[in-house]
Amino acid sequence: MRLSRLLSEIPGIPFPKGSDPVIQGVTDDSRKVGEGWLFVARRGQNVDGHQYIPSVLAAGASVLVVEEPVETRNGVVTIQVEDASLALAHLCEAWCEHPTRELDLVGVTGTNGKTTVTWLIHQLVRQGGVRSGFVGTVGIQTGRLPAIQPATMTTPPATELSALLADMVEARCEACLMEVSSHALDQRRVDALQFSIAVFTNLTGDHLDYHQDMESYAAAKARLFDLLHEDGTAIVNVDAEASEIMMGASRAKHLIRVSTQSAPNSDLTAEVCREHSEGTEIELEGLGFKGTRVTIPLPGRHNVENVLCSVAAARALGLSAEQIVPALEVLRAPPGRLEPVEDPAREVKVFVDYAHTDDALCQVLTAMRPAVPDGAQLHVLFGCGGDRDSSKRPRMAKVAASLADRVMVTSDNPRTEDPEAIIRDILAGIPESAGAQVDHEVERGRAIRQAVSIMDPDDVLIVAGKGHEDYQILGTHRIAFDDRSHVAEALQLRSVEGC
């Protein structure tokens, strides 16, 4: 593609004087540069791309996009911009022929529920005959294969994201359901995408190591609604903190307000009629639903909020209420979201969940309390990640101690922090009156075995924090570690020892 064509539809990047080279590729990764490539010198959190300019010139780069004047060799085109991250997003989208012009792109943001909502919308629209792709924490599906590809980030970098979306267009997808993280929004990874629908689930304390305060965190989330085009649809959980901020940021003509608390001016509401460990019976009102009762096979009131957001998105994508109801009855939760692990002895129940904030842990423990028979106990095992927001550690401890009967504190992904120090931070949030119900074990595998071994018949255990992840990060290394496998082994050992 000629540079002139690449830049023709990108706002704010004028075509430079000089040659008009044929571009062979676009990247901000100096290791991928080859002869004729365009390199964007982007400043990241830890590394400044400008320092790699000598190496990309040696590799044959023909165009540099920079934020400051640099020395080059003859024949190399240099384009100076104010924001290289924004330029990268637009360049990638143009390089891939603007795939979001051909897709109904649904972006879902919020502290908790992003994965579940995108996963549920994906199921609803596919049941309704809409071919869709999926990008999120649990994986990527472009429509070419039924299998889900692993994901390394919730929202991939712009260089990967536009290529994935182009792949969906080639696979004849009509829609894409995408989790949009606050990091991606703040770093402008998605600024060049054309969103048809934006969904806000909730806002609670997380990522404050990055955003510093809740105001900045909310502002990052709100950028998704500012990116909506005028004919788009904003879907907002009006029961959540910061919902007004999201609605205020939207330029879209259409707004759908959802509520489980019958908030004034709600467009879609759900009343919980009955809860049990296998699911929740709800009554839907609005958007074509008229007192419609349906049982969703997902436990917990937090999942009712997730379902409402998903139903609103499905309606905005053109599905009728009549199409949606039967699909609701066969929904499946994403991997690692209250995912049961079978006990060979059928004595106890163990669920693996991704909850890694105090609000998410509160929702999960509250959701599973009805699954605990009279006289039995609710157990929880959790840890907190290293090199991440440490303010939530004591908050999670307080939630666990107040809502569970037994608590096991262990490691999550300690990264470069001392695991014992992380556990001390967590234990500082345990009230003195709850000390007798709390144990700790730094090695997660041993902690799982210990937590399973002390369960009595009919007890319920939530293993929280890692969900679908099949690794643990120790130092700077990833090791194979899947909570589900370790729980299964612990349950097998328990059944053998009980014989």
Side-chain angles (χ1 to χ4, degrees):
M1 185 185 295
R2 288 278 178 189
L3 177 61
S4 56
R5 183 183 164 203
L6 185 65
L7 300 181
S8 62
E9 295 185 67
I10 299 178
I13 306 182
F15 183 70
K17 296 179 181 179
S19 62
D20 186 13
V22 175
I23 305 301
Q24 301 298 328
V26 174
T27 188
D28 63 340
D29 186 340
S30 61
R31 296 165 298 183
K32 295 181 179 178
V33 173
E35 193 71 34
W37 276 60
L38 182 153
F39 174 72
V40 180
R42 189 176 65 84
R43 288 188 172 94
Q45 279 185 274
N46 302 312
V47 178
D48 184 348
H50 292 80
Q51 72 186 68
Y52 297 107
I53 285 175
S55 66
V56 301
L57 291 174
S62 59
V63 180
L64 301 178
V65 176
V66 296
E67 291 184 354
E68 61 188 43
V70 295
E71 291 186 11
T72 65
R73 54 178 169 76
N74 290 337
V76 175
V77 177
T78 303
I79 303 170
Q80 189 168 338
V81 297
E82 289 187 9
D83 189 329
S85 293
L86 178 61
L88 177 67
H90 281 287
L91 288 163
C92 291
E93 190 69 358
W95 175 255
C96 293
E97 306 283 0
H98 303 279
T100 52
R101 293 178 181 177
E102 309 297 324
L103 292 165
D104 281 322
L105 180 60
V106 181
V108 181
T109 199
T111 306
N112 301 313
K114 295 188 299 296
T115 298
T116 299
V117 170
T118 48
W119 185 268
L120 298 184
I121 301 170
H122 189 50
Q123 292 178 67
L124 292 176
V125 298
R126 287 206 154 197
Q127 288 275 350
V130 177
R131 190 174 178 85
S132 62
F134 176 92
V135 178
T137 306
V138 296
I140 295 164
Q141 191 174 57
T142 63
R144 290 188 180 277
L145 296 170
I148 296 176
Q149 306 166 43
T152 57
M153 303 175 74
T154 296
T155 310
T159 49
E160 296 176 26
L161 197 48
S162 291
L164 288 169
L165 293 165
D167 205 27
M168 291 180 200
V169 171
E170 288 189 18
R172 301 195 305 276
C173 286
E174 301 165 71
C176 171
L177 301 322
M178 181 190 300
E179 291 185 56
V180 187
S181 70
S182 58
H183 292 74
L185 287 160
D186 186 66
Q187 295 166 12
R188 317 201 85 167
R189 294 180 216 160
V190 298
D191 271 46
L193 308 184
Q194 294 189 17
F195 287 93
S196 303
I197 299 169
V199 182
F200 171 67
T201 59
N202 52 62
L203 191 82
T204 61
D206 198 14
H207 304 306
L208 298 186
D209 56 321
Y210 180 91
H211 296 289
Q212 302 303 315
D213 54 54
M214 291 298 291
E215 290 75 19
S216 300
Y217 185 29
K221 294 288 188 188
R223 292 200 67 253
L224 176 62
F225 292 84
D226 185 51
L227 293 172
L228 270 176
H229 58 70
E230 289 187 0
D231 199 38
T233 302
I235 298 171
V236 177
N237 173 15
V238 294
D239 299 332
E241 293 285 339
S243 58
E244 292 288 343
I245 295 173
M246 306 303 147
M247 290 187 285
S250 176
R251 298 176 296 152
K253 293 179 182 177
H254 311 289
L255 170 65
I256 300 176
R257 292 157 292 205
V258 304
S259 173
T260 61
Q261 301 172 18
S262 299
N265 302 318
S266 300
D267 302 292
L268 178 65
T269 63
E271 179 184 345
V272 176
C273 304
R274 192 167 69 93
E275 294 181 75
H276 52 87
S277 62
E278 308 301 325
T280 312
E281 184 182 356
I282 61 174
E283 184 173 294
L284 294 168
E285 190 68 48
L287 297 185
F289 299 95
K290 299 179 180 178
T292 306
R293 286 206 174 199
V294 60
T295 298
I296 54 172
L298 304 170
R301 289 178 179 257
H302 65 293
N303 272 323
V304 178
E305 293 182 358
N306 293 334
V307 165
L308 273 185
C309 290
S310 306
V311 168
R315 292 288 286 121
L317 286 167
L319 271 68
S320 67
E322 291 72 25
Q323 287 175 298
I324 291 170
V325 169
L328 288 174
E329 295 172 339
V330 293
L331 288 176
R332 293 179 297 107
R337 271 62 178 177
L338 281 178
E339 183 174 348
V341 181
E342 186 177 353
D343 174 19
R346 300 182 182 276
E347 283 189 339
V348 298
K349 291 184 178 179
V350 184
F351 298 84
V352 170
D353 194 82
Y354 192 58
H356 58 278
T357 68
D358 48 314
D359 181 68
L361 194 61
C362 176
Q363 291 178 349
V364 166
L365 291 174
T366 302
M368 295 313 297
R369 179 55 75 176
V372 183
D374 291 343
Q377 291 189 317
L378 177 60
H379 303 235
V380 65
L381 177 149
F382 77 99
C384 292
D387 302 331
R388 297 292 187 270
D389 183 3
S390 61
S391 69
K392 66 183 180 182
R393 295 171 187 175
R395 296 199 307 268
M396 290 185 71
K398 185 177 180 180
V399 166
S402 63
L403 296 178
D405 303 304
R406 294 294 307 234
V407 178
M408 173 64 76
V409 178
T410 187
S411 298
D412 192 294
N413 292 321
R415 299 183 177 88
T416 63
E417 277 197 73
D418 177 6
E420 296 277 9
I422 296 172
I423 290 175
R424 286 195 296 272
D425 286 348
I426 296 170
L427 293 176
I430 300 289
E432 188 175 340
S433 59
Q437 73 193 64
V438 179
D439 296 306
H440 66 276
E441 164 56 55
V442 70
E443 201 280 306
R444 193 173 179 93
R446 283 199 297 268
I448 289 173
R449 290 192 295 275
Q450 185 176 333
V452 169
S453 70
I454 65 172
M455 295 175 74
D456 290 325
D458 295 329
D459 282 0
V460 176
L461 167 65
I462 309 298
V463 177
K466 294 180 61 59
H468 66 285
E469 292 178 353
D470 59 2
Y471 60 85
Q472 190 175 29
I473 305 175
L474 305 177
T476 57
H477 301 285
R478 284 193 180 200
I479 65 166
F481 192 100
D482 191 319
D483 279 353
R484 295 163 294 190
S485 298
H486 281 267
V487 169
E489 291 173 7
L491 287 169
Q492 182 64 41
L493 181 61
R494 172 191 166 90
S495 68
V496 170
E497 291 178 344
C499 292

